[in-house]
Amino acid sequence: MVKNSMVNVQARREKILKAVDQGEPVVVEQLARQFDVSITTLRRDLKALAEMGQVHWHHGLVEKANVATPANHASRSGIELLKDTIAAAVPSYIVKNSTLFVNSSSLCWRAINQLATMPLTIITNNIRATECVRHPETSIILTGGEIRYPKESLVGTVAVQILETMQSDFTLIGCDGISEKGGVTTQNIFEAQVNATMIRRTKQKVICVADYRKVGVTSNYHVADLAAVDVLITDNFANEKAVRDLRRQGIDVVQVAN
């Protein structure tokens, strides 16, 4: 019953997003009538969608979040807070004095800051890692390679060749999609090989970090099969069916509370 209830809630929230995707704000009471639910239930849905960064809700009106408009400031903050919460869970899965591959995702960049509590050797293709807060005994090693903007990631033959000479205890990797069908995927063809090499050269655990928007999604370029992933840290907004599918494949899926 609980699973069916959650499926119904997710389906209703998807319909709410379609209803507000018309460019004009919609009255909350109108949505409640449209979906035959109480105002309290609808407000609970809107609160969750706002925290997910998908709608902007104010003064009894709701509209779809749009990064191009100032009205989206609050919802963008919701996504940022989710990322911070996921990043804060990473240190629990890393052992001090270990070697760690970290890819160039923004979520991994946040996690590097959270890892400042322990000494590590961090090998990364993220140039911005040098800006992170870190433990005084932590070493940060950049892979080298071609710089790709605007992400400021190091990619290409040089980066891959250097990684091939190394091994890590752990790999921390962000992605654009992780699903039963597609495995770990990315939108960036230049980063796919770098990420795949990091995963392949890991001795202990591969830890994937992804917010709810990436879970159950298959992006353009394959990075690794699910068998290569040990832990997925995501949030409690992740699609429940996708989470069950990943757990069935043997992945330890950790959902942090927002």
Side-chain angles (χ1 to χ4, degrees):
M1 291 294 292
V2 174
K3 288 183 179 178
N4 288 336
S5 176
M6 285 306 301
V7 168
N8 292 337
V9 168
Q10 289 175 348
R12 184 175 66 245
R13 290 175 182 175
E14 288 175 4
K15 291 177 181 177
I16 291 171
L17 287 175
K18 289 180 181 178
V20 302
D21 190 20
Q22 307 299 322
E24 296 293 330
V26 181
V27 177
V28 171
E29 286 80 1
Q30 177 185 332
L31 286 174
R33 291 194 298 270
Q34 180 177 343
F35 297 110
D36 193 25
V37 295
S38 68
I39 291 292
T40 300
T41 296
L42 188 67
R43 285 175 176 165
R44 187 160 53 242
D45 288 338
L46 293 177
K47 181 176 184 293
L49 290 170
E51 289 173 345
M52 294 163 74
Q54 297 204 17
V55 301
H56 184 58
W57 172 33
H58 60 111
H59 304 303
L61 299 174
V62 58
E63 57 187 331
K64 189 170 183 180
N66 184 341
V67 296
T69 62
N72 189 47
H73 176 74
S75 57
R76 280 177 60 81
S77 296
I79 289 293
E80 301 306 305
L81 289 171
L82 275 181
K83 289 183 176 182
D84 286 339
T85 304
I86 293 169
V90 169
S92 298
Y93 297 88
I94 305 297
V95 178
K96 68 179 182 178
N97 295 316
S98 58
T99 298
L100 177 66
F101 285 151
V102 182
N103 82 337
S104 60
S105 82
S106 61
L107 230 174
C108 287
W109 181 85
R110 292 167 187 266
I112 292 175
N113 285 285
Q114 296 290 335
L115 289 165
T117 56
M118 66 181 79
L120 296 165
T121 298
I122 296 174
I123 303 167
T124 180
N125 67 326
N126 188 340
I127 293 177
R128 293 186 60 217
T130 58
E131 305 168 4
C132 292
V133 179
R134 58 184 181 272
H135 190 279
E137 296 177 26
T138 288
S139 298
I140 293 183
I141 301 171
L142 297 180
T143 60
E146 177 188 353
I147 303 174
R148 300 294 300 186
Y149 294 98
K151 202 172 179 182
E152 296 185 82
S153 59
L154 295 162
V155 297
T157 304
V158 171
V160 172
Q161 287 178 342
I162 289 174
L163 288 168
E164 289 283 9
T165 68
M166 302 174 172
Q167 282 190 315
S168 70
D169 300 302
F170 301 92
T171 281
L172 179 63
I173 192 161
C175 63
D176 292 308
I178 180 168
S179 65
E180 183 180 39
K181 179 181 178 181
V184 181
T185 51
T186 178
Q187 292 180 357
N188 192 317
I189 190 172
F190 299 103
E191 295 183 8
Q193 190 177 9
V194 172
N195 295 345
T197 305
M198 287 181 173
I199 290 173
R200 190 172 63 252
R201 302 291 296 172
T202 305
K203 294 187 292 183
Q204 294 186 34
K205 287 188 177 182
V206 172
I207 302 159
C208 184
V209 287
D211 66 58
Y212 72 93
R213 298 172 300 173
K214 316 294 176 62
V215 178
V217 171
T218 300
S219 194
N220 304 68
Y221 303 104
H222 182 263
V223 172
D225 294 333
L226 291 183
V229 179
D230 298 288
V231 180
L232 168 65
I233 305 177
T234 186
D235 53 74
N236 58 2
F237 294 124
N239 181 278
E240 287 212 346
K241 180 182 182 304
V243 168
R244 289 198 302 272
D245 290 342
L246 295 174
R247 284 177 172 150
R248 190 168 59 244
Q249 295 298 318
I251 297 176
D252 179 12
V253 181
V254 179
Q255 291 182 271
V256 298
N258 58 303

